[in-house]
């Protein structure tokens, strides 16, 4: 992303929405809404003086609501462009007409309350869709108690907790009491391979949970992870070896059997119930924290965009592509890559992105 | 036969994940019982689930496994069809209550005459013809059989009529009513159910009722979900008494007096997981000023079954499930466990008598609680 | 008692202690009594359930007779008393279902005299005949006995086999309401049976398992 941000031929329009796309001279004319950040991008250097003094605290969406940010904030540290944004909905000035503390703090004069939403048009020879994924909302699966049992979290939340720049500085602290979680149960296929929700395999969660469990042990030598699975789908090169390493070097306990339900136990330690299908016994296990490997679905924003573009999506919202030309959509000149087409991991997304880019370039350069 | 069951219940989708067995309240107390292995045996064609296996009768048909099964295997239907086959093969479950209950249900297929309606309390208004019918189900019979269990089933029927009267409704109560056939049906005797259903449908047609109200969720689920499968769309609406009363309470046509109390609510399998009615009982209960609901840990779609069904199994395992549920109810701190089903009430009340007394919590049927709170 | 009206099918649960001895003596003493009674010996009054009685009615028996040892004379301990409770409950259930409770008679007796037994059965048969004449029950037309086999108890078979000879024709003739006429027509067709035969039939098939 950093490379793309620095590339002279790539312009990134963050905080923007594609509103309309029309056919024009064999190419496209797109109308893009550039939402007002109330910060001048060219002046801001993300020093953070403004947010340090901002009086308004908001749950941090990037940290899955696990931490807080201010009303003037940096979405995340490595974001591009690295500039502050004022969140109009929560900012005190927009609500009451008073404050503007950030404006006073900024030595660069970058805060600009007069900034307005802008619409720009872009003439393009080709469009590439890479809208990616959203994680399924765990609340309908009430048997797992997400939202009611405090120490049940999702895989993405786990990734924020274990991250050094995350809300807990990389410590696995339990949401209920802030103590360190040592014993973790991973619930695989939560919502995936489930005809009630997503009847496909999300493809990344098995490997992802193994990775997360290894990270847990690296951060805390007392950490024990139990991965409850239907069957592990480690289908890539060396993936199997990775799993074995997880078991042998990181002490991961793999249990064959999907978690049936999670109950809250004493001192908010969740208890998972399952059938160990190898021993054919129904068991329960009390752990410090439960991690739901939730199903990954096409991005929630992708469907409206696909409609705008006239691109076909399937019942889940995945962009439909042809097996023979896997980068092309039904619309001539519009290509797709990454998770918006179907489950895939990062290396595969990168490969698909290159493929889509070369198809698009060929078209723009008139070679197709 | 087995093949058809596998096809109809989509058992072939099973991916052996173990969710069903891990979810099953019976399997938790009884290691020989496993819905997954029943399905597996059927799929491996090991003569299917062997019909003389007593575990065929252990399932509560509570629907927890089916609700959670990622492959949508309809295990309840699988159980029911297995029971039909077992019955045809000459095997049957051990009927609880020495078979009395299933016997009086069978009695209603033909031999029984006009039902005695003298149980209807004095001062209550009912009629013989009209737009709204109260289907009493087996409550008058349960009133006889469960009197010694401290359960007043006739009282439940009367409190239902009292509430309907208070809402300005004078329901039809028919002496031609028969058992709905739920319990025979779920013990694999669809013929008895069909005979009873035909009589009930004719009876309702004769009264001219456009809406049928049920106190018992099992009767309700039969009419709502099973009768249409055998007899096509019903010519009338059906409603559980709580669903029926909520609009009256909302419009102020049913007024309740202040009753300061915390209760907890047992979702019946048939009303909840089967018919999808979770909110109506709660809305009705909270229409009583001062009444608060403390939910149990497992509630709504995740509610634990009352531990017994269709009068085919009442063993140590069933009792353990019931005591587990009573303990869960007591944990909420509520003084009363309100049930949405007379049968849940019976089963839990029975277990409360057997328990060591630690789970002391009053158990009441929803219409009894509501009728007590009526302003008068 | 040749001219007696035989209009009913009776299932008689007879405790195998005093009452069965009485029934046996009725045979030995050549006391003739209602041929409609099918005797089902039971080990003890305490084993008789409401279910077995109700099922007899469900399968269209006209009356059920329960003959048990006198109170306090139960060979085991309290079978007669608990039987009393069961019968009370069954009476209530019958009333709820619209079946005249008089169709179920409980006879407590520790008298082993055959004559008493015979006249007791006859008395019940006559009362039933009156009830049938009144058309108090049985409205539904022909119905095949349910195919269900809940419990492999032989008495069911006995009923199924016996019933047709006793009531099928009459029942078929009988339209919705059983009138006196129908009941009267039925009379001649009923065949007299001797006591030992009835008892023997009961004995052969009624030992469970
Ligand atoms: C919990 C979890 C853990 C994972 N861990 C790993 C891992 O360890 N290793 C690995 O290889 N893979 C992992 N994956 C898979 C990996 O996340 C995906 O393969 C990868 O993110 C797909 O890349 P993408 O570019 O297609 O989509 P994304 O990374 O989702 O990017 C899509 C981008 O499009 C933007 N967008 C969406 N809609 C619109 C719109 N309408 N207008 C403008 N912008 C829009 C989004 O904001 C987003 O920035 C994980 C997945 C999950 C769910
Ligand atoms: S990758 Fe693993 S956890 Fe994820 S859906 Fe597939 S099998 Fe389930
Ligand atoms: S829950 Fe469904 S898929 Fe899983 S083992 Fe049971 S029947 Fe099979
Ligand atoms: S229906 Fe209920 S009792 Fe029966 S197998 Fe499923 S979970 Fe167990």
């Amino acid at each position: 992303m950093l490379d793309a941000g620095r590339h002279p031929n790539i312009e990134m329009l963050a905080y923007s929405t594609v509103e309309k796309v029309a056919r024009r001279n064999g190419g496209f004319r797109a109308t893009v809404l550039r939402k007002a950040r109330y910060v001048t991008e060219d002046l801001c250097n993300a020093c953070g003086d403004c947010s340090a003094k901002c009086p308004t605290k908001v749950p941090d969406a990037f940290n899955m609501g696990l931490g807080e940010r201010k009303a003037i904030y940096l979405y995340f540290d490595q974001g591009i462009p690295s500039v502050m944004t004022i969140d109009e909905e929560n900012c005190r000035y927009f609500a009451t007409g008073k404050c503007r503390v950030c404006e006073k703090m900024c030595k660069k004069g970058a805060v600009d309350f007069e900034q307005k939403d802008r619409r720009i048009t872009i003439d393009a020879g080709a469009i590439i869709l890479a809208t990616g994924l959203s994680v399924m909302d765990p609340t309908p699966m009430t048997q797992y108690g997400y939202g009611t049992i405090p120490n049940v979290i999702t895989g993405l939340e786990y990734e924020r907790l274990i991250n050094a720049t995350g809300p807990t500085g990389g410590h696995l602290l339990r949401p209920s009491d802030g103590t360190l979680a040592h014993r973790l149960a991973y619930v695989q296929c939560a919502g995936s391979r489930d005809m009630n929700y997503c009847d496909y395999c999300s493809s990344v969660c098995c490997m992802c949970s193994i990775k997360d469990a290894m990270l847990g042990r690296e951060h805390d030598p007392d950490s024990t992870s139990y991965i409850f699975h239907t069957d592990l789908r480690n289908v890539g090169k060396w993936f199997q070896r990775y799993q074995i390493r997880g078991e042998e070097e990181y002490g991961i306990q793999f249990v064959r059997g999907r978690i049936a339900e999670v109950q809250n136990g004493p001192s908010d330690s969740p208890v998972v119930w399952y059938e160990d299908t190898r021993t054919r016994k129904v068991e329960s296990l009390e752990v410090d924290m439960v991690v739901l490997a939730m199903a990954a679905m096409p991005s929630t924003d992708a469907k409206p965009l696909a409609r705008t573009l006239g691109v076909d999506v399937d019942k889940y919202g995945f962009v439909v592509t042809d097996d023979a030309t896997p980068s092309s959509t039904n619309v001539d000149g519009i290509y797709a890559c990454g998770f918006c087409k179907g489950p895939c991991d990062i290396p595969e997304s990168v490969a698909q992105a290159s493929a889509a880019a070369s198809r698009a370039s060929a078209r723009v350069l008139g070679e197709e | 036969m087995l093949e058809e069951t596998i096809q109809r219940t989509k058992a072939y989708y099973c991916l052996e994940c173990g969710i069903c067995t891990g979810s099953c309240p019976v399997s938790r107390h009884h290691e020989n019982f496993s819905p997954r292995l029943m399905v597996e045996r059927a799929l491996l064609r090991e003569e299917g689930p062997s019909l003389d296996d007593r575990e065929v009768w252990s399932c509560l048909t509570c629907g927890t496994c089916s609700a959670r099964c990622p492959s949508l295997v309809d295990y309840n239907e699988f159980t029911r069809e297995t029971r039909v086959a077992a019955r045809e093969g000459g095997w049957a479950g051990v009927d609880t209550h020495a078979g009395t209950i299933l016997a009086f249900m069978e009695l209603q297929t033909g031999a029984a005459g006009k039902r005695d309606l003298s149980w209807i309390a004095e001062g209550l208004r009912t009629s013989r013809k009209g737009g709204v019918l109260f289907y009493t189900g087996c409550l008058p019979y349960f009133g006889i059989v469960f009197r010694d269990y401290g359960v007043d089933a006739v009282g439940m029927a009367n409190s239902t009529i009292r509430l309907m009267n208070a809402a300005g409704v004078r329901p039809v109560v028919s002496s031609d009513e028969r058992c709905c056939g739920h319990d025979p049906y779920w013990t694999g005797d669809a013929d008895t159910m069909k005979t009873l259903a035909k009589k009930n449908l004719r009876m309702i047609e004769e009264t001219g009722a456009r809406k049928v109200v049920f106190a018992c969720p099992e009767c309700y689920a039969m009419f709502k979900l099973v009768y249409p499968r055998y007899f096509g769309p019903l010519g009338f609406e059906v409603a559980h008494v709580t669903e029926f009363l909520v609009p009256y309470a909302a419009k102020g046509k049913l007024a309740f007096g202040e009753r300061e109390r915390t209760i907890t609510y047992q979702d019946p399998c048939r009303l909840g997981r089967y018919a999808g009615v979770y909110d109506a009982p709660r809305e009705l209960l909270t229409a009583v000023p001062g009444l608060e609901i403390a939910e149990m840990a497992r509630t709504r779609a995740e509610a634990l079954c009352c531990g017994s069904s269709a009068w085919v199994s009442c063993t140590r395992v069933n009792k353990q499930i019931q005591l587990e549920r009573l303990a869960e109810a007591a944990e909420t701190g509520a003084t009363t466990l309100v049930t949405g089903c007379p049968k849940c009430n019976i089963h839990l009340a029975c277990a409360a008598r057997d328990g060591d007394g630690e789970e002391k919590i009053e158990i009441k049927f929803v219409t009894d609680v509501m009728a007590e709170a009526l302003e008068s | 008692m040749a001219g007696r009206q035989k209009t009913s099918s009776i299932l008689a649960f007879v405790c195998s202690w005093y009452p069965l001895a009485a029934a046996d003596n009725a045979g030995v003493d050549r006391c003739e009594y209602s041929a409609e009674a099918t005797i089902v010996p039971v080990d003890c009054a305490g084993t008789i359930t409401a279910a077995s009685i109700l099922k007899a009615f469900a399968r269209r028996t006209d009356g059920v007779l329960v003959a048990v040892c006198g109170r306090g004379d139960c060979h085991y301990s309290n079978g007669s008393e608990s039987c009393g409770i069961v019968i009370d409950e069954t009476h209530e259930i019958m009333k709820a279902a619209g079946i005249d409770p008089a169709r179920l008679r409980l006879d407590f007796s520790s008298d082993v005299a055959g004559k008493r037994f015979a006249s007791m059965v006859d008395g019940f048969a006559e009362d039933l005949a009156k009830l049938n004449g009144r058309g108090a029950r049985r409205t539904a037309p022909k119905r095949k006995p349910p195919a269900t086999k809940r419990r492999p108890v032989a008495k069911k078979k006995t009923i199924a086999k016996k019933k047709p000879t006793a009531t099928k024709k009459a029942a078929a003739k009988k339209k919705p309401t059983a009138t006196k006429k129908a009941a009267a027509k039925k009379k001649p067709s009923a065949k007299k049976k001797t006591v030992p035969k009835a008892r023997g039939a009961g004995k052969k098939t009624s030992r469970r398992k």
Side-chain angles (χ1 to χ4, degrees):
Chain A
M1 194 157 59
L2 224 55
D3 289 347
R6 289 196 191 114
H7 198 282
N9 287 350
I10 297 178
E11 189 187 347
M12 279 201 180
L13 304 179
Y15 215 49
S16 307
T17 309
V18 176
E19 285 190 329
K20 209 171 81 188
V21 174
R23 280 258 168 211
R24 196 174 167 89
N25 303 333
F28 305 92
R29 169 165 284 187
T31 310
V32 177
L33 172 70
R34 305 220 58 205
K35 283 182 270 182
R37 288 180 189 273
Y38 306 104
V39 172
T40 313
E41 284 182 15
D42 297 345
L43 296 177
C44 174
N45 66 355
C47 66
D49 288 347
C50 50
S51 58
K53 288 282 182 246
C54 169
T56 313
K57 286 183 180 154
V58 185
D60 185 353
F62 182 72
N63 279 328
M64 314 305 296
L66 292 171
E68 284 178 333
R69 61 162 172 83
K70 299 297 182 63
I72 181 162
Y73 68 107
L74 197 60
Y75 184 55
F76 70 108
D77 291 346
Q78 299 86 7
I80 293 185
S82 187
V83 291
M84 305 306 264
T85 302
I86 294 179
D87 141 24
E88 197 179 327
E89 255 174 50
N90 292 299
C91 167
R92 183 170 297 188
Y93 172 69
F94 284 104
T96 65
K98 284 205 190 76
C99 185
R100 300 179 86 137
V101 168
C102 49
E103 193 176 25
K104 283 178 215 112
M105 296 315 297
C106 180
K107 296 184 194 82
K108 298 259 179 186
V111 177
D112 174 10
F113 280 100
E114 303 312 312
Q115 212 178 62
K116 292 271 169 320
D117 285 355
R118 284 181 299 141
R119 278 188 180 72
I120 59 167
T121 53
I122 300 172
D123 287 326
I127 294 176
I128 301 174
L129 276 173
T131 47
L133 61 92
S134 292
V135 168
M136 188 189 120
D137 173 13
T139 48
M141 301 193 81
T142 45
Q143 65 266 44
Y144 293 152
Y146 181 87
T148 54
I149 302 176
N151 294 323
V152 174
I153 62 169
T154 65
L156 273 185
E157 286 168 350
Y158 176 93
E159 299 218 336
R160 291 317 302 152
L161 288 179
I162 200 80
N163 193 299
T165 65
T168 54
H171 302 294
L172 267 188
L173 304 185
R174 308 204 311 168
S176 70
D177 53 12
T179 59
L180 203 58
H182 298 296
R183 285 156 62 82
L184 290 110
Y186 286 84
V187 181
Q188 295 308 107
C189 301
S192 300
R193 303 174 68 191
D194 185 333
M195 295 182 182
N196 297 294
Y197 306 99
C198 303
D199 66 11
Y200 53 85
C201 168
S202 297
S203 310
V204 291
C205 12
C206 279
M207 283 306 284
C208 182
S209 291
I210 296 172
K211 174 199 74 182
D212 287 345
M214 286 179 168
L215 274 176
R217 178 57 78 85
E218 278 169 11
H219 282 230
D220 165 17
D222 294 333
S223 158
T224 310
S225 294
Y226 298 84
I227 297 187
F228 294 91
H229 60 94
T230 316
D231 30 50
L232 287 166
R233 294 199 161 168
N234 305 326
V235 289
K237 196 170 160 192
W238 309 139
F239 285 12
Q240 188 77 11
R241 187 183 282 179
Y242 194 72
Q243 175 200 328
I244 293 167
R245 242 182 77 208
E247 196 159 3
E248 289 178 351
E249 293 172 27
Y250 293 81
I252 300 174
Q253 311 272 326
F254 292 100
V255 184
R256 199 204 171 276
R258 270 203 216 184
I259 296 291
E261 79 185 37
V262 183
Q263 287 174 16
N264 207 9
S267 59
D268 281 331
S269 296
V271 177
V272 293
W273 282 93
Y274 59 97
E275 182 200 4
D276 184 330
T277 57
R278 287 170 303 190
T279 61
R280 302 177 160 191
K281 287 217 161 51
V282 177
E283 313 266 10
S284 66
L285 179 74
E286 188 183 307
V287 291
D288 297 330
M289 202 141 86
V290 168
V291 182
L292 305 178
M294 290 313 299
M297 307 166 74
S299 162
T300 39
D301 299 338
K303 253 192 183 164
L305 181 62
R307 214 172 300 126
T308 309
L309 299 176
V311 167
D312 285 346
V313 294
D314 64 15
K315 65 175 172 171
Y316 308 104
F318 286 121
V319 171
V320 179
T321 53
D322 181 35
D323 284 349
T325 51
S327 302
S328 307
T329 69
N330 60 311
V331 181
D332 193 28
I334 300 186
Y335 305 93
C337 63
F339 214 107
C340 73
K341 281 174 52 187
C344 60
D345 63 2
I346 293 170
E348 198 183 328
S349 305
V350 171
Q352 289 187 16
S354 302
S358 52
R359 295 296 298 243
S361 315
R363 181 188 164 86
V364 173
L365 301 173
E367 287 162 13
E368 198 180 61
Chain B
M1 166 69 209
L2 178 65
E3 191 53 43
E4 283 166 30
T5 301
I6 290 172
Q7 293 303 322
R8 265 197 299 271
T9 59
K10 302 210 178 70
Y12 52 82
Y13 276 158
C14 172
L15 38 81
E16 307 265 295
C17 68
I19 282 193
C20 48
T21 300
S23 300
C24 175
V26 176
S27 302
R28 267 180 216 183
H29 297 285
H30 182 25
E31 61 176 25
N32 288 343
F33 182 72
S34 167
R36 181 179 69 83
L37 293 179
M38 289 267 190
V39 169
E40 183 182 273
R41 262 178 244 137
L43 291 172
L44 294 176
R45 303 296 189 276
E46 285 173 5
E47 302 150 28
S50 41
L51 299 177
D52 59 351
D53 183 353
R54 54 176 285 198
E55 304 312 343
V56 167
W57 305 92
S58 297
C59 168
L60 307 169
T61 69
C62 70
T64 313
C65 55
S66 301
R68 293 180 186 166
C69 173
S71 307
L72 306 183
V73 174
D74 188 348
Y75 189 73
N76 304 309
E77 194 56 19
F78 182 87
T79 297
R80 196 188 65 76
E81 295 199 7
T82 308
R83 288 178 180 180
V84 172
R87 182 175 280 279
E88 277 165 9
W91 286 280
V94 177
D95 298 346
T96 61
H97 300 275
T100 307
I101 299 172
L102 285 159
F104 70 59
M105 291 172 171
E106 189 188 326
L107 186 65
Q108 298 176 57
T109 51
K114 293 241 177 227
R115 269 192 183 196
D116 175 32
L117 296 180
S118 62
W119 54 265
I120 299 174
E122 223 170 283
L124 296 183
R125 289 169 296 127
T126 60
S127 60
R128 298 170 67 92
K129 281 200 177 349
V132 179
L133 182 136
F134 168 38
Y135 183 90
T136 58
C138 289
L139 288 177
Y141 292 93
F142 291 160
I144 299 163
V145 179
F146 294 108
R147 194 180 292 138
D148 297 339
Y149 292 65
V151 176
D152 179 8
V154 165
M156 297 174 189
N158 276 319
S159 60
T160 303
I161 302 176
R162 183 160 297 122
L163 287 164
M164 292 175 86
N165 283 175
V169 179
R170 183 176 175 163
V172 178
V173 177
S174 169
S175 57
D176 288 326
E177 190 190 310
R178 302 295 169 121
C179 162
C180 69
H182 174 279
D183 298 333
Y185 181 66
W186 282 101
T187 50
D189 181 2
D191 291 339
T192 293
M193 182 280 290
K194 281 188 254 179
T195 310
L196 293 166
K198 279 185 209 145
K199 287 177 188 286
N200 281 321
L201 293 173
R202 195 178 325 124
M203 174 275 292
I204 290 167
E205 200 183 311
E206 279 165 10
T207 60
R210 312 298 312 147
K211 188 160 202 160
V212 179
V213 178
F214 301 85
C216 177
E218 304 203 331
C219 308
Y220 172 60
M222 285 307 284
F223 274 75
K224 188 171 178 171
L225 308 170
V226 178
Y227 282 12
R229 251 175 45 205
Y230 288 88
F231 306 103
L234 306 174
F236 48 86
E237 271 180 71
V238 291
H240 185 246
V241 57
T242 55
E243 287 178 293
F244 178 76
L245 293 174
V246 162
Y248 291 93
K251 277 185 245 147
K253 288 190 183 167
L254 255 183
F256 299 100
E258 173 106 16
R259 295 288 187 280
E260 213 42 72
R261 70 200 288 192
T262 305
I263 60 112
T264 189
Y265 173 73
Q266 165 76 10
D267 285 282
C269 304
R270 298 305 190 260
L271 194 60
R273 277 184 290 269
Y274 278 56
V277 179
Y278 297 110
D279 293 329
R282 291 177 167 83
E283 281 170 34
L284 188 67
L285 282 162
T286 48
V288 177
L291 189 148
E292 266 177 44
I293 302 180
E295 295 285 358
M296 284 181 264
R298 284 174 285 176
T299 183
R300 299 172 76 94
E302 313 310 331
L304 179 62
C305 171
C306 71
S308 188
S309 84
W311 318 105
V312 274
S313 184
C314 186
T315 64
R316 166 189 68 85
V317 174
N318 303 81
K319 280 287 165 275
Q320 274 171 332
I321 297 168
Q322 287 155 359
L323 293 176
E324 189 184 332
R325 189 56 163 171
L326 287 173
E328 202 170 317
E331 249 169 56
T332 63
T335 54
T336 312
L337 168 58
V338 179
T339 66
C341 171
K343 291 183 183 174
C344 296
N345 199 306
I346 290 167
H347 297 141
L348 293 170
C350 172
R353 290 160 62 93
D354 290 3
D356 53 15
E358 262 174 44
E359 309 82 4
K360 274 286 168 272
I361 184 167
E362 182 192 29
I363 302 161
K364 286 203 123 148
F365 184 57
V366 61
T367 58
D368 287 345
V369 174
M370 298 310 293
E372 270 167 31
L374 275 179
E375 292 260 69
S376 55
Chain C
M1 295 181 74
R4 207 184 47 241
Q5 303 181 350
K6 293 172 195 144
T7 57
S8 324
S9 57
I10 299 174
L11 189 70
F13 292 106
V14 177
C15 169
S16 55
W17 296 92
Y18 292 112
L20 193 67
D24 218 4
N25 286 336
V28 172
D29 299 347
R30 305 246 177 269
C31 304
E32 206 175 292
Y33 63 86
S34 170
E36 282 74 27
T38 302
I39 292 190
V40 179
V42 295
D43 290 340
C44 171
T47 65
I48 300 167
T49 61
S52 37
I53 298 167
L54 295 174
K55 283 183 179 203
F57 286 115
R59 288 159 170 74
R60 300 187 171 278
T61 300
D62 284 300
V64 174
L65 177 65
V66 175
V68 302
C69 302
R71 289 174 200 270
D73 288 340
C74 173
H75 181 78
Y76 303 96
S77 63
N78 56 356
S80 300
E81 282 78 4
S82 61
C83 180
I85 297 171
V86 167
I87 300 302
D88 284 350
E89 182 182 273
T90 314
H91 274 143
E92 275 196 74
I93 292 173
M94 290 170 68
K95 181 168 170 278
I99 297 175
D100 195 329
R103 291 180 180 277
L104 166 61
R105 179 162 300 176
L106 173 60
D107 183 66
F108 283 113
S109 174
S110 307
D111 187 345
V112 292
K115 217 170 141 206
R116 181 194 175 276
F117 185 86
S119 64
M120 186 264 297
V121 175
D122 277 343
F124 184 45
E126 265 159 39
D127 291 348
L128 279 180
K130 275 182 223 146
L131 280 177
N132 287 349
R134 247 185 16 221
R137 191 168 75 98
R138 288 312 125 73
T139 50
K142 57 194 147 29
R143 169 178 177 271
K144 67 169 180 330
T148 55
K149 296 176 202 160
R150 296 204 59 78
R151 215 175 263 113
V153 176
K155 62 195 176 227
K156 234 177 286 165
K157 273 184 213 145
T158 320
I159 307 162
K161 266 187 215 144
K162 256 194 90 97
K163 219 176 59 185
T165 59
T167 53
K168 198 181 168 191
K169 251 189 232 163
K173 261 184 218 157
K174 252 194 278 178
K175 273 287 170 176
T177 45
T179 59
K180 253 185 193 146
K181 241 191 237 161
K185 254 188 217 156
K186 210 161 58 163
K187 276 181 251 163
S189 70
K191 269 250 152 156
K192 213 190 272 180
K193 278 176 209 118
T194 53
V195 181
K197 202 173 160 198
R199 206 187 73 206
K203 249 196 178 133
K204 240 177 266 155
T205 50
S206 67
R207 289 286 164 196
R208 297 173 203 207
K209 269 149 226 160

